[in-house]
Amino acid sequence: MTDARQNIHEYLAELEDIPGTRVFTAARARKGYWINQFAMSLMKAENRDRFKADERAYLDEWQISEAAKQAVLARDYNTLLEPVSYTHLTLPTKRIV
């Protein structure tokens, strides 16, 4: 009997070349953990107020890359989506921009 199951990593690799598509994977979830935590923190009014008062200081409280911080400050969401899938980013940040 031939095993028809495909290795999950091989399968996901096949999806990497779909133009304009970012397939959400566990690896991307891990890479985007802290930016997602930051974005979800903005669901609370007091955190949005702190972010609005000093965006850079609030971002510096999170373990996110300098490039991601710069993208947030520039409201460059396309850049944020490139390396990983930030699933929650658009929801709370729409309240502050």
Side-chain angles (χ1 to χ4, degrees):
M1 181 172 159
T2 304
D3 188 30
R5 292 178 291 174
Q6 183 178 19
N7 176 298
I8 187 67
H9 301 292
E10 292 171 4
Y11 172 74
L12 292 173
E14 292 174 6
L15 302 175
E16 288 297 317
D17 65 349
I18 302 172
T21 302
R22 293 164 191 92
V23 178
F24 187 74
T25 64
R28 283 195 170 116
R30 285 189 299 275
K31 288 180 183 177
Y33 178 80
W34 288 110
I35 194 75
N36 278 325
Q37 292 300 302
F38 153 74
M40 292 304 293
S41 78
L42 298 177
M43 298 291 285
K44 294 183 178 181
E46 61 268 21
N47 290 337
R48 288 193 302 276
D49 291 342
R50 288 181 53 222
F51 181 69
K52 286 187 226 178
D54 189 342
E55 293 182 2
R56 181 60 200 219
Y58 190 75
L59 284 169
D60 285 341
E61 295 176 19
W62 299 92
Q63 297 176 17
I64 59 177
S65 70
E66 182 60 30
K69 290 176 186 179
Q70 290 301 317
V72 170
L73 293 170
R75 307 302 193 261
D76 184 358
Y77 303 118
N78 286 327
T79 295
L80 284 171
L81 290 173
E82 285 304 317
V84 294
S85 295
Y86 297 113
T87 58
H88 306 297
L89 191 60
T90 56
L91 177 73
T93 52
K94 287 186 178 190
R95 296 181 182 176
I96 59 168
V97 290

